[in-house]
Amino acid sequence: MVLAVETQGLRKTYRARRGRHVAVQGLDLQVPAGGVHGFLGPNGSGKTTTIRMLLGLVRADSGTMRIFDQPVPERLPAVVGRVGAIVESPKFFPSFTGTKNLSLLAEAIGAPRSKVAEVLEQTGLAERGRDRYRGYSLGMKQRLAIAATLLKSPDLLIFDEPTNGLDPAGIREIRQTMRRLGDEGRTVLVSSHILAEVEQVADTVSIIGHGRLLASGRVADVIGTRAAPAVRVTVARPEAAAQILTGAGLTVQPDGAALRVHDADDPARITYLLAQQGLYVSELVAERADLESVFLALTSGEGLGDTRATGRGRRRAQSAPPPGMAVPDRPLSVGGGDA
């Protein structure tokens, strides 16, 4: 398998008020080349720290990282032209049009002006290029940031929570844009906590918790191997039905006025067992395993919503990007040596 990104034993700690905070601990990450890879984890699980280490914005304590088989940060200048990233809210000139903003950026990084129209088309903004940036919706602004990363035709795109703050229409626009980029053969590494969106767009995923890898692989495989299917059954006498099904070797859990039945290879068997005892099912729904259920099962106890952070230490570590790297809130977080 050809890898676009690989880390081994990656570790990063920060100073905190109560000693040291471990943001990433022994992370082994593999991102296949081509397609969309979802990088998932609860708040505070180390996703952003990992991305910043890959981009040379944060120094790792230990471990190794490779982008297109080049060790980083040592060889980052050799691959930086193949990488585009958005790790902060991008900044553009509000009174300039989308086309003007991209034209200025293209000139600054040495990209041909002809790329501007091309990347606007790729991100679905061709008809809005002459509109002023201040009139763009949040989704359009995010797509313009993606267009900026495409000016140098990168092979790897890294997006950190690209749909934060967007409405459903904006989320759909970003999802469609990422899918198009993946279908073109590019590698899209997207960090997100919106599981339903990732499931629709990603080919492969990695799930982390407290900086450790919990699961990785193709989306269908991760769901299929880790989420046990269940059947939701509604019946007039749920307690009696539960006794019958349990006696037949099935696992039964109360679910409000209904029952959740596990280990039933054929849902028709549930109907048969209950009907034999004079109990008739009014509703039987086979639950579909999804990425969210797998994610919640894997990250239970992993500090969901825990944003205790690395406050002072993190700001200090990020204050001085290495030479040749763009400032995080620029449209191109990674572009070329002169970006």
Side-chain angles (χ1 to χ4, degrees), residues 6 12 24 26 48 62 65 79 92-93 102 129 132 149 164 186 198 240 279 309 333 337:
E6 181 180 19
K12 178 63 182 178
V24 177
T48 297
S62 60
M65 301 177 288
V79 295
F92 292 100
F93 294 104
L102 293 184
R132 295 183 188 275
T149 69
N164 266 0
R186 305 177 196 267
V198 171
L279 295 177
S333 294

Side-chain angles (χ1 to χ4, degrees), residues 233-253 257-261 270-271 273-275 277-282:
V233 180
T234 304
V235 64
R237 294 164 53 200
E239 292 183 2
Q243 291 181 352
I244 294 169
L245 297 175
T246 300
L250 302 178
T251 302
V252 181
Q253 295 175 323
L259 302 172
R260 293 183 76 247
V261 183
I270 297 174
T271 303
L273 291 170
L274 295 179
Q277 303 299 321
L279 295 177
Y280 297 98
V281 172
S282 59

Side-chain angles (χ1 to χ4, degrees), residues 312-332:
R312 241 167 60 186
R314 175 175 291 184
R315 284 194 297 272
R316 181 164 54 251
Q318 295 171 359
S319 60
M325 298 296 293
V327 177
D329 62 0
R330 290 277 300 278
L332 275 181

Side-chain angles (χ1 to χ4, degrees), residues 46 68 72 83 97-98 131 163 171 183 193 201 203 215 231 234-235 258:
F68 295 122
V72 293
V83 181
T97 66
D131 294 351
T163 58
I171 292 173
D183 290 340
H193 64 277
V201 75
D203 302 294
V231 177
T234 304
V235 64

Side-chain angles (χ1 to χ4, degrees), residues 199 223-224 226-234 251-268 270 283-294 296:
E199 185 173 348
I223 293 174
R226 294 182 177 269
V231 177
R232 191 174 189 274
V233 180
T234 304
T251 302
V252 181
Q253 295 175 323
D255 185 8
L259 302 172
R260 293 183 76 247
V261 183
H262 300 268
D263 308 321
D265 296 331
D266 183 359
I270 297 174
E283 183 181 38
L284 188 148
V285 179
E287 295 180 352
R288 187 183 74 87
D290 58 18
L291 193 57
E292 182 175 8
S293 62
V294 176
L296 293 175

